[in-house]
Amino acid sequence: MHGQGVSKGLCYAKVHVLEDKPIQFPTEYASAQAEEKKFRDALADVLSETEEMKERALCTVGKEAAEILDAHCSLLKDEGMLDPISESIQDGTNAAQSVENAMNTFIEMFEGMENEYMAQRALDLKDIKDRLIRRILHIKKDDLSNLSEMMILAGEDIAPSITAGMDTEHLAGMLMELGGVTSHTAILARTLDVPAVVGASGLMNEIKTGDMIAFDGETGEIMINPTSEEVKQFQESMKKQKEEKEKLKLFSMRRAETKDHQQLNVCGNIGGTDDLKKVMEYGADGVGLFRSEFLFLVSASLPTEEQQLAAYKTVLEEIKDKPVIVRTLDIGGDKEVKALGLKKEENPFLGLRAIRLCQAKPEVFHTQLRALLRASVYGNLQIMFPMISSLQELRWAKEQLEYCKKQLEEEQIPYKQNIKVGIMIEIPATAVMARQFAAECDFFSIGTNDLTQYTLAVDRGNDDVAGLYSYFHPAVLRMIEMAIEGAHAQGIPCGMCGEAAGNAYMLPILIGLGLDEYSMTASSILELKQAASRIDTAECKELAARVMRLGTWDEVRTELEKFVAERN
Amino acid sequence: MVREKVTVKAKSGLHARPANLLIKTAQKYKCKVEIEVDNKIFNAKSLIGILAAGIDCGTEVSVICTGDDEEAASKEVVELITGDMGEE
């Protein structure tokens, strides 16, 4: 069987299949009394569980989620709902079937009301019904928070709500019938550095929990219950790969440096507190990009100052004195944040996103800035503004920061002095005017993904034109060169936090151009350190000068591949 | 038993928040509190019962209270339903 490999690595383990099978209802009926007791016991369990969840939600995800759970509690105490169930039990239907029948009547009624509020209640009822029946029949819900051995997780789709509470220590790999490279699962797998294959059609018909599965997260090949001969072969490949990995692991102990012992700053990109572990394990020099969006995407309401503070503080304290660059909210019409009430835009990448959105909603921006300032006392925090296209925007953002500082002073809340403030270079306009921008901020970080898309006017998510997208394009390289030159002319450092920063072929050019910091996903850190150890700064400079004059990205790429291959 | 005919004033009818308000009020009393619409009787202490009744603004309903504190219950529930129930 075959799928699309989206996260590298070989994997052989037992599989846990996430099932969404219809419940098998028993027909046995003990006695009215016994069935009623089953129902009441289940009800009490589910109610106390829901009350606990509600308390937890109040502290973690917020009021809105807690209100939904509160409604669940009311429903679980509602005689209008419970009485018909008891009546049905008295009439000789067993507990599980009675819950199913009685609640379906309400669910159908609510679904038929064509009213947003009622549709939501129907969903609530379905959820409660499902939990009650599972409790009565002792069907365990997939609990992945505490796995006893290494497991492959497989499903038609693996929802974020399932992976959220998962025991990632015991996660060997992930397999999914649906999805593509950019699916939630693919991104999560790469972040956690576990092998994954998605888009494996027919998968769910072929496997069941407990099967042994071997798969390759690079080629996408999947073997279900392989023969002992196949296992032997596979394990040999795994051993080889492990040795390679071990070799790479040695690099986690030391800082990145070139063959001629020039040290490089290699940092990690993180999207939350989870991926920080890997970044530290691989010996990064800091966090070059902390995407703060996750705080806004996970919950139904906007994160409060306290919630944000807690997240930033966790990262700063974990990583000790190493620098952490937090990028302020980078969100726009392409992502749905209910609490922000954003309009769908015709052209979201050219629309109201990131700093522009913050300008439209200054109160959201202020909350984040206050949380950042307050967090600054816990470590080496730096603040970075995204999507800056004009000096006015940079000046405005800095003014807001000053305003928030003043507020905190008045409230006598401490923050660190001299917090470094930088900008993303991801719009050609900003790269072209790099010198002027560098005079008014403390650092640059080049975001190559957007810089490439804006420089070449290519939407890389669009398959029809994705072939035109490449950060090896000489025009993109020149943008990068301008940004670095502009920064150095004003004596500030210039880093990079796009995908290109972790690309081993791109590395010699970037070293040649004098980039100051390389920030990437955790999974690229070790390979980049290894790649750096094989090349020489003087040779890189020479190469960069030569490559910048080439005409097409094909030519650039060929030249770089030759350079790297000669040194491996 | 106390029985009183009233017209629902709340703009969004007895849905969502007003429905919740109604049952919270009814639950304060010991007596049985029911709402009659179109000859059908619904338990006013049950959110699901009230929601299922699907009572819109302007509907004529009867509030029926039966039990010890029926007078007081009827008075408060009727007052509630004939008010705006916190809706604009």
Side-chain angles (χ1 to χ4, degrees), chain A residues 56-156:
Chain A
R56 230 179 311 143
L58 267 177
C59 315
T60 54
V61 281
K63 205 168 140 250
E64 206 154 327
E67 267 173 16
I68 292 173
L69 291 166
D70 187 51
H72 284 202
C73 291
S74 304
L75 289 169
L76 285 163
K77 287 186 267 191
D78 195 318
E79 34 187 89
M81 182 182 94
L82 305 181
D83 291 350
I85 298 173
S86 289
E87 276 163 30
S88 160
I89 290 174
Q90 295 305 320
D91 290 345
T93 307
N94 68 43
Q97 193 69 57
S98 293
V99 171
E100 169 81 4
N101 297 351
M103 289 189 66
N104 276 350
T105 316
F106 291 116
I107 292 168
E108 276 160 31
M109 189 158 64
F110 286 1
E111 278 174 341
M113 283 186 190
E114 285 181 23
N115 166 319
E116 171 70 36
Y117 177 83
M118 294 314 236
Q120 185 55 49
R121 298 289 79 76
L123 287 179
D124 290 344
L125 285 176
K126 270 186 191 160
D127 191 10
I128 293 172
K129 183 189 81 172
D130 196 54
R131 285 167 57 206
L132 279 174
I133 293 174
R134 279 172 194 279
R135 191 57 63 106
I136 292 170
L137 298 177
H138 303 290
I139 301 172
K140 282 227 179 74
K141 210 187 139 208
D142 287 321
D143 178 12
L144 304 170
S145 62
N146 200 359
L147 303 172
S148 55
E149 54 180 324
M150 291 305 283
M151 281 274 189
I152 295 171
L153 186 64
E156 188 175 7

Side-chain angles (χ1 to χ4, degrees), chain A residues 233-504:
Chain A
Q233 245 179 15
F234 195 81
Q235 280 174 332
E236 245 159 62
S237 313
M238 277 177 84
K239 206 175 128 205
K240 248 189 230 150
Q241 207 179 58
K242 211 177 147 199
E243 282 165 7
E244 282 290 313
K245 252 195 165 168
E246 292 298 318
K247 238 194 259 168
L248 271 180
K249 272 235 171 93
L250 296 175
F251 284 95
S252 61
M253 309 296 192
R254 43 180 142 140
R255 289 198 60 194
E257 60 173 40
T258 57
K259 209 170 158 191
D260 54 318
H261 307 296
Q262 294 286 329
Q263 289 203 330
L264 302 179
N265 273 318
V266 173
C267 294
N269 294 347
I270 62 173
T273 44
D274 283 352
D275 22 358
L276 182 64
K277 233 193 271 169
K278 290 275 177 206
V279 167
M280 288 168 66
E281 194 183 315
Y282 297 156
D285 299 312
V287 169
L289 171 64
F290 182 4
R291 301 183 179 94
S292 58
E293 293 83 69
F294 82 100
L295 288 161
F296 293 80
L297 295 170
V298 292
S299 105
S301 53
L302 287 174
T304 63
E305 187 176 315
E306 298 300 325
Q307 284 167 334
Q308 294 191 49
L309 172 64
Y312 306 142
K313 185 181 161 197
T314 308
V315 172
L316 287 165
E317 286 185 336
E318 293 257 326
I319 203 161
K320 308 250 161 53
D321 295 325
K322 290 178 179 171
V324 174
I325 300 178
V326 182
R327 180 176 70 188
T328 59
L329 184 60
D330 184 7
I331 248 171
D334 59 324
K335 290 200 186 88
E336 198 184 1
V337 180
K338 279 226 174 80
L340 283 172
L342 300 178
K343 274 190 302 206
K344 272 255 175 275
E345 294 178 301
E346 281 274 321
N347 210 338
F349 283 102
L350 302 183
L352 188 67
R353 64 176 282 212
I355 201 75
R356 303 168 179 181
L357 177 68
C358 291
Q359 259 183 313
K361 295 183 183 291
E363 66 289 351
V364 176
F365 195 44
H366 289 165
T367 305
Q368 181 167 37
L369 292 177
R370 283 177 58 104
L372 286 167
L373 287 169
R374 289 175 61 188
S376 67
V377 298
Y378 298 104
N380 184 354
L381 174 105
Q382 307 186 6
I383 299 174
M384 175 161 72
F385 302 124
M387 275 293 278
I388 297 286
S389 67
S390 71
L391 278 169
Q392 286 102 296
E393 284 167 326
L394 171 57
R395 288 175 190 159
W396 176 83
K398 282 168 69 183
E399 272 164 31
Q400 304 313 303
L401 189 64
E402 290 309 313
Y403 168 80
C404 292
K405 282 183 185 171
K406 209 173 255 162
Q407 268 190 343
L408 291 180
E409 274 159 29
E410 276 164 21
E411 295 164 34
Q412 299 193 323
I413 300 174
Y415 64 87
K416 217 177 207 170
Q417 299 297 323
N418 307 320
I419 299 170
K420 291 211 164 81
V421 174
I423 60 170
M424 292 279 294
I425 304 285
E426 51 192 338
I427 296 175
T430 319
V432 170
M433 289 177 61
R435 249 172 220 249
Q436 273 114 308
F437 280 95
E440 300 191 25
C441 66
D442 303 318
F443 65 89
F444 283 171
S445 183
I446 305 173
T448 44
N449 299 3
D450 276 338
L451 185 61
T452 306
Q453 124 161 323
Y454 291 138
T455 302
L456 305 178
V458 173
D459 173 4
R460 69 168 169 165
N462 179 342
D463 285 340
D464 295 332
V465 296
L468 296 172
Y469 178 97
S470 169
Y471 43 70
F472 293 107
H473 193 299
V476 179
L477 298 181
R478 283 193 210 180
M479 289 287 167
I480 295 170
E481 185 184 32
M482 275 190 237
I484 298 173
E485 271 181 7
H488 290 175
Q490 304 285 1
I492 68 165
C494 180
M496 180 178 284
C497 58
E499 242 169 63
N503 185 297

